[in-house]
Amino acid sequence: MEDLNKYKGIIPALYAAYDDKGNISPERVEKLANYYLEVGVNGLYVGGSSGECVYQTVAERKLVLEHVMKAVGGEMTVIAHIAAASTKESIELAKHAKEVGVDALAAIPPIYYGLPDHAVVKYWTDIIEATDLDFFIYNIPSTTGHELSPEMFVDLLKYPQVVGVKNSSISVLDIQNFRKIQTRDTIIYSGVDEQYIAGRIMGADGGIGSTFGVMPRLYLKLEEMLQNNKLDLAQELQYTINDIIALILIQEGSLYGVMKKVLEINEGIVAGHVRNPLPKITDKDQEAIKKIAELIKKAERKYL
């Protein structure tokens, strides 16, 4: 039986890193990846929503992954999200991910068209069969409009490469349900950052999240509190994190742009703007961004 422990814990979803002209910046990608290595998170999730994957070409997504692996490959777990507009492109990304040495793949269901369950399963299985890499099903019905059913999960577990689910449905009960029906050991990720401790208590092995990237030390402390059974403190810190997330989400600019700017203020990590049509941060956002940055530092001073 494969040791799945390398997939547990806090795994930030890597932000897109552009140069000042809006092109992929290999140097900024590597600096960002190295920052997370130094902070001590358990791994990185590359090429997902936080990485603005749907607004990047296949070649750009390959370039990002190559420089992540150059920076931290072999030193931390790397999961590559390889869903794309077509099965052909997804398989191309999967094979490339295998070539550069990632630990696992992940994919949302096909986007845009409302496909029936059997077509979604076919899409996933085509990707699974393209390599021998571990594979995570990504369940995020709020974005894709498709919900992973218990029947689909059990069916996909027939493939030994399928090692778990990144679950970003709103109900943490789904985590318990996936755990109850699994036919062998799997990794279940909590993908709703505001419910991290709830997801862990319901059976998640860790989390993959976009806000992990802007306050990784706080999530590492949250996990430590859970492991030490300090549930009152964990609840308090989760509430503090959630207040910060709520402020991030109400700005005019995209949450990814806001978080990248906060990371620049607090850590000196420059990752550029977001790519159109995601809304860029505005002058109106600037004071709130400074406040968010200070709230994170304040929470670190209190809890770390």
Side-chain angles (χ1 to χ4, degrees):
M1 177 68 69
E2 180 187 5
D3 182 9
L4 299 178
N5 286 323
K6 67 179 178 179
Y7 295 122
K8 295 181 178 180
I10 300 298
I11 300 182
L14 191 75
Y15 305 133
Y18 303 118
D19 63 22
D20 293 342
K21 294 182 179 180
N23 300 312
I24 300 295
S25 168
E27 296 78 14
R28 289 178 177 179
V29 169
E30 291 183 27
K31 186 174 181 179
L32 184 59
N34 274 312
Y35 163 70
Y36 294 120
L37 178 65
E38 292 165 7
V39 169
V41 298
N42 301 78
L44 288 175
Y45 186 82
V46 182
S49 303
S50 301
E52 302 175 38
C53 63
V54 296
Y55 299 139
Q56 294 177 358
T57 66
V58 168
E60 286 177 318
R61 293 174 67 178
K62 289 180 179 179
L63 182 64
V64 170
L65 190 58
E66 286 165 6
H67 284 277
V68 169
M69 296 306 294
K70 179 181 177 183
V72 301
E75 298 188 74
M76 65 195 309
T77 298
V78 176
I79 302 172
H81 176 259
I82 46 78
S86 70
T87 301
K88 180 181 178 181
E89 290 171 320
S90 298
I91 289 175
E92 182 179 347
L93 287 166
K95 290 181 176 179
H96 172 263
K98 167 72 175 178
E99 290 171 4
V100 298
V102 306
D103 295 276
L105 307 174
I108 59 170
I111 58 175
Y112 186 74
Y113 294 104
L115 301 179
D117 285 359
H118 68 85
V120 176
V121 169
K122 179 67 164 57
Y123 168 74
W124 276 325
T125 55
D126 284 345
I127 298 171
I128 292 164
E129 291 173 346
T131 78
D132 60 356
L133 288 174
D134 290 345
F135 183 84
F136 286 95
I137 306 161
Y138 189 176
N139 184 44
I140 181 167
S142 63
T143 300
T144 63
H146 186 277
E147 189 162 358
L148 177 67
S149 70
E151 295 78 15
M152 293 171 72
F153 182 47
V154 171
D155 188 31
L156 287 161
L157 283 174
K158 296 174 184 176
Y159 292 85
Q161 298 102 305
V162 176
V163 294
V165 177
K166 179 180 185 286
N167 188 68
S168 296
S169 61
I170 296 301
S171 175
V172 292
L173 181 60
D174 288 341
I175 292 171
Q176 178 188 348
N177 289 337
F178 289 137
R179 183 67 72 207
K180 284 174 64 177
I181 64 173
Q182 66 182 17
T183 54
R184 53 183 167 80
D185 289 342
T186 63
I187 294 291
I188 309 293
Y189 287 117
S190 175
V192 180
D193 300 2
E194 297 93 329
Q195 299 179 4
Y196 181 74
I197 61 171
R200 287 283 281 112
I201 290 169
M202 292 297 279
D205 298 286
I208 296 174
S210 60
T211 67
F212 292 11
V214 75
M215 40 186 161
R217 297 180 187 90
L218 294 181
Y219 281 99
L220 287 168
K221 177 56 69 171
L222 190 58
E223 176 62 26
E224 180 186 308
M225 290 172 176
L226 284 168
Q227 291 187 16
N228 291 327
N229 204 31
K230 297 179 179 179
L231 297 184
D232 288 345
L233 267 177
Q235 182 189 62
E236 183 181 305
L237 178 52
Q238 181 76 76
Y239 285 178
T240 299
I241 287 171
N242 290 357
D243 287 342
I244 295 169
I245 294 174
L247 193 54
I248 290 171
L249 292 175
I250 62 172
Q251 304 312 308
E252 291 185 353
S254 163
L255 75 159
Y256 307 120
V258 170
M259 291 189 290
K260 287 197 280 185
K261 190 63 179 178
V262 171
L263 200 59
E264 181 178 338
I265 293 170
N266 280 348
E267 306 294 341
I269 305 293
V270 179
H273 296 292
V274 291
R275 183 167 281 183
N276 293 335
L278 289 172
K280 291 180 172 58
I281 56 176
T282 66
D283 291 341
K284 185 180 176 182
D285 295 332
Q286 296 299 331
E287 283 305 310
I289 288 171
K290 292 177 184 177
K291 181 178 180 180
I292 293 164
E294 177 52 35
L295 285 172
I296 291 172
K297 285 302 182 184
K298 181 179 178 182
E300 289 180 347
R301 290 191 294 269
K302 180 176 181 179
Y303 293 104
L304 302 188

